[in-house]
Amino acid sequence: MSSSNTKEKRPTKMPKSKVIRPLGDMERFEAALHSLDFYRSSMVACRYLIPAGQDSLQEELVRKVESAIAKVVLDHPALRVGMRGEHARKPAFVELETVDFRKHVEWRSISKAADYEGELLQTISSRLNVKVEQSEAAPAWRILVLRVESEAFLDVMFEWGHAHMDGMSAKLFHEDLLRNLASDSVAGPDEFKDRVLFLPPEKRRDMLPPLHALCKFPITMGYTLSTLWHEFKPQCLAATPDTLAYWAPIRTKPYLSRYRHFSLDDARLKNVLAACRSHGTTLTGLIEVLALVSLAARLPPTQARGFTGSTALNLRPLLASGSKYLRAQNIDATQTMGNFVSIVDHIFDAELVAEIRAYVSRTRTRTQGSGEEGQGEGGEEKEKEKEASMAALEELVWPTAQRVRAELQTRLDKGTTNDEVGLMKFIPDFRALVKDWARKPRLRSFVLTNLGVIDRVPSPSLGSSSAATAGEEKEGRARAVRKDGDGDGYGWSIERAIFSLSHELQNGAICLCPMAVKDGDLYVTSNWTDGVVDTALAEGLMADLERWLRFLGRRT
């Protein structure tokens, strides 16, 4: 029997992490979406080719890759902070002392006999539906590394929470990881021991200020009043816009994001890009309009008379020129992880959509009744008819794609003036705003976020003490390229990149995400909410996009 003088020991409370700063306006918005289960995960998956001689010992390979990841984490504050108060109105970023790779980095081996590409597609799709945690005790990212037995490549899937960083940050992650892997240094950072990264004190509070503190976002009275009227006007005075997506109502439960992707080879991609340049537009503008054409052809006027599309806008170029703080600290915005993104809407009114449908109707007559696939001469004839239909539609596609590109350029030319980011300071509770949006008709039919091109081989390290001559750099990049077929390559390289998002419930009904590797394939992915967008419609849109890009890419 224990002594009456013995006191019960109470469990020791873990000390609270120290607050670094409250989340900024854009970060609070993204945190609210995550907290309310309006989105779950974002991912950039890159295939890394392993140099000859480094692909045999798995233990050494794991050590090499994780040491390279540890260096990236030490270089970017957004990768080493936690979040307190995920479900509160005003969450805050907090200090971390360690990052435990045993909880953040998973390695998985795949049998060589497996249908690996099918398994990869299924893995991406399933993981996009698993929420990246916004924890006070850990950073909001995770990595899955896949390796097929006896194959000399790794698929590295980097997933993150959008309150901490944006898609361009994930691209930076892979660029820095590739540079670290290609480094001659074999030793990892001293702070990385037994798969745990111990953060030194000077690396715990160096997170950048939020977006609205880095740069001014001035708004005019006219823009403010127009936006407020659009958002809060009485229903009795509200005309019904033709471009609202009534065909895809917002539904918050159950959450299930659907996913598809396709690829376009480098030769066709280069032809497509050349065609875009010759027509005064970009791949972003083209894909926006091809999505419009597909939806206009597949949805009847009774469901959709017009559409609103949108494009995610990377604000880093504007920060580079407009942020006094970054210039004073000698920080390159284009190489900085954070939440530096906005959005530009494109209105495709009923008149334009009716014109597209008229073109489609005139050209479809010849192909009706021939079935989805043909064989022999019939199949060839049907294919020619489809190409003739697309060729006729080019009269509308290119001018509209040029308009989209012009709208994006106009937005960039305005700088940070009259951007939605500037209005966020007036919103006290983003959770309430998001819930209110869920009760309204969907604004956007589709949204496109394009991460552009990632280098195949490492670019020269920024801030290097001595710049290589052009000849040395060319030779160094050549050494990094693995030769096809003989396995006699020299250095690490990226063979492909796939950018994928879980569906953001209140945003565009369908989200499109293109990304390519330099001198490599383009991957276009899509996501939508199950039960809100008909699967046949979404898959049909993806089939249309692939058909169009292959058609345009065949021509030199």
Side-chain angles (χ1 to χ4, degrees):
M1 211 172 161
S2 63
S3 168
S4 59
N5 293 329
T6 303
K7 295 182 179 179
E8 287 188 21
K9 289 185 177 181
R10 296 183 180 179
T12 304
K13 283 189 176 181
M14 292 295 292
K16 277 193 172 183
S17 302
K18 295 179 182 178
V19 171
I20 301 172
R21 65 166 174 83
L23 272 64
D25 298 331
M26 178 63 75
E27 294 160 343
R28 285 196 296 129
F29 169 66
E30 295 291 352
L33 292 177
H34 198 278
S35 166
L36 294 170
D37 205 23
F38 273 56
Y39 105 101
R40 293 188 175 178
S41 179
S42 308
M43 176 193 298
V44 173
C46 287
R47 174 164 294 179
Y48 291 78
L49 299 184
I50 307 170
Q54 295 187 35
D55 55 356
S56 56
L57 297 177
Q58 178 70 8
E59 187 175 330
E60 290 185 10
L61 185 64
V62 170
R63 188 182 303 113
K64 170 80 172 177
V65 172
E66 292 195 353
S67 294
I69 294 171
K71 291 179 182 178
V72 180
V73 175
L74 287 174
D75 284 342
H76 293 280
L79 296 173
R80 43 184 163 80
V81 296
M83 183 192 298
R84 179 183 298 165
E86 174 190 3
H87 305 297
R89 284 175 55 188
K90 295 183 178 180
F93 289 123
V94 296
E95 289 185 21
L96 296 176
E97 295 183 357
T98 61
V99 179
D100 190 344
F101 279 34
R102 294 169 298 185
K103 298 178 180 177
H104 287 273
V105 182
E106 176 188 354
W107 290 75
R108 191 179 298 174
S109 180
I110 308 295
S111 169
K112 193 171 183 178
D115 172 18
Y116 179 67
E117 290 303 315
E119 189 159 338
L120 178 68
L121 176 64
Q122 179 57 39
T123 300
I124 294 174
S125 181
S126 62
R127 288 182 75 87
L128 290 175
N129 282 289
V130 179
K131 185 177 286 191
V132 176
E133 296 300 325
Q134 297 185 141
S135 168
E136 181 175 345
W141 58 266
R142 63 187 180 218
I143 293 172
L144 174 63
V145 185
L146 298 178
R147 188 179 185 192
V148 179
E149 293 175 356
S150 303
E151 295 289 347
F153 69 82
L154 300 173
D155 278 325
V156 180
M157 300 179 175
F158 175 74
E159 303 169 72
W160 73 96
H162 219 304
H164 290 66
M165 64 195 88
D166 56 17
M168 282 295 175
S169 301
K171 180 180 174 183
L172 287 172
F173 171 87
H174 281 288
E175 289 174 340
D176 286 359
L177 177 58
L178 177 63
R179 190 177 299 117
N180 291 341
L181 287 170
S183 170
D184 292 334
S185 172
V186 294
D190 294 338
E191 299 88 348
F192 188 55
K193 301 173 183 177
D194 298 324
R195 301 193 72 202
V196 177
L197 181 61
F198 295 87
L199 301 176
E202 66 272 15
K203 294 284 189 179
R204 296 177 189 172
R205 299 187 63 83
D206 55 345
M207 194 169 192
L208 283 178
L211 177 60
H212 68 268
L214 290 175
C215 191
K216 292 182 179 179
F217 286 85
I219 51 175
T220 63
M221 182 62 70
Y223 174 76
T224 303
L225 293 175
S226 173
T227 305
L228 291 174
W229 173 254
H230 176 77
E231 187 69 30
F232 300 110
K233 61 190 173 185
Q235 289 300 310
C236 60
L237 300 178
T240 302
D242 290 329
T243 57
L244 291 180
Y246 286 100
W247 58 275
I250 298 172
R251 191 194 69 191
T252 59
K253 294 191 182 299
Y255 185 100
L256 180 58
S257 187
R258 295 294 188 186
Y259 171 85
R260 296 291 185 274
H261 67 227
F262 69 83
S263 63
L264 185 74
D265 65 79
D266 175 50
R268 284 189 172 93
L269 175 59
K270 286 177 177 174
N271 289 339
V272 170
L273 294 176
C276 288
R277 287 191 293 270
S278 70
H279 288 90
T281 189
T282 60
L283 183 65
T284 294
L286 176 63
I287 293 179
E288 278 274 354
V289 176
L290 295 182
L292 165 68
V293 169
S294 177
L295 289 177
R298 291 177 177 276
L299 289 172
T302 52
Q303 291 188 31
R305 297 187 64 224
F307 299 92
T308 297
S310 66
T311 305
L313 185 69
N314 177 22
L315 295 177
R316 284 171 178 77
L318 301 181
L319 289 177
S321 60
S323 174
K324 293 181 180 179
Y325 177 91
L326 293 179
R327 289 200 302 272
Q329 299 294 321
N330 197 28
I331 295 173
D332 184 355
T334 64
Q335 299 298 313
T336 302
M337 292 188 187
N339 222 324
F340 309 135
V341 67
S342 187
I343 199 163
V344 177
D345 286 330
H346 312 286
I347 304 300
F348 305 113
D349 60 24
E351 183 179 354
L352 172 62
V353 173
E355 192 175 359
I356 292 171
R357 285 178 171 137
Y359 266 81
V360 171
S361 179
R362 287 196 296 269
T363 57
R364 181 180 284 170
T365 304
R366 297 179 59 192
T367 60
Q368 281 181 342
S370 59
E372 208 38 51
E373 294 185 6
Q375 295 180 352
E377 294 182 3
E380 292 175 5
E381 183 63 27
K382 182 190 172 185
E383 191 61 32
K384 289 180 181 178
E385 290 170 348
K386 286 181 178 178
E387 291 183 1
S389 173
M390 288 187 283
L393 272 166
E394 284 188 80
E395 294 180 21
L396 282 178
V397 166
W398 290 118
T400 311
Q402 187 179 45
R403 190 197 97 188
V404 169
R405 190 256 182 190
E407 289 172 351
L408 290 169
Q409 188 59 53
T410 298
R411 174 65 191 79
L412 288 171
D413 291 343
K414 288 181 179 178
T416 56
T417 301
N418 288 344
D419 189 284
E420 287 185 358
V421 174
L423 293 173
M424 285 184 160
K425 61 187 176 185
F426 299 117
I427 301 172
D429 188 347
F430 283 99
R431 293 169 58 84
L433 177 70
V434 171
K435 290 176 182 178
D436 184 56
W437 281 348
R439 293 188 286 267
K440 296 179 178 180
R442 189 184 301 275
L443 174 63
R444 303 175 179 104
S445 289
F446 53 94
V447 60
L448 185 142
T449 176
N450 184 0
L451 293 190
V453 179
I454 189 169
D455 281 340
R456 175 181 290 272
V457 295
S459 59
S461 181
L462 296 173
S464 176
S465 57
S466 61
T469 65
E472 288 170 340
E473 181 179 330
K474 183 177 180 181
E475 182 184 354
R477 291 172 71 86
R479 284 198 303 267
V481 178
R482 170 180 287 272
K483 296 178 183 178
D484 291 331
D486 61 7
D488 231 354
Y490 293 94
W492 287 85
S493 61
I494 292 178
E495 184 180 49
R496 73 179 183 189
I498 305 175
F499 175 34
S500 314
L501 300 175
S502 66
H503 192 244
E504 193 174 299
L505 297 185
Q506 88 296 341
N507 209 340
I510 298 174
C511 179
L512 301 167
C513 306
M515 187 176 186
V517 173
K518 187 174 183 179
D519 298 323
D521 294 353
L522 167 75
Y523 271 79
V524 180
T525 74
S526 69
N527 63 77
W528 65 93
T529 297
D530 183 65
V532 172
V533 175
D534 183 70
T535 298
L537 174 65
E539 291 182 342
L541 183 147
M542 287 293 280
D544 291 343
L545 286 181
E546 184 175 7
R547 186 178 296 114
W548 264 103
L549 292 175
R550 291 185 181 281
F551 166 68
L552 296 172
R554 281 211 303 262
R555 302 184 300 185
T556 58

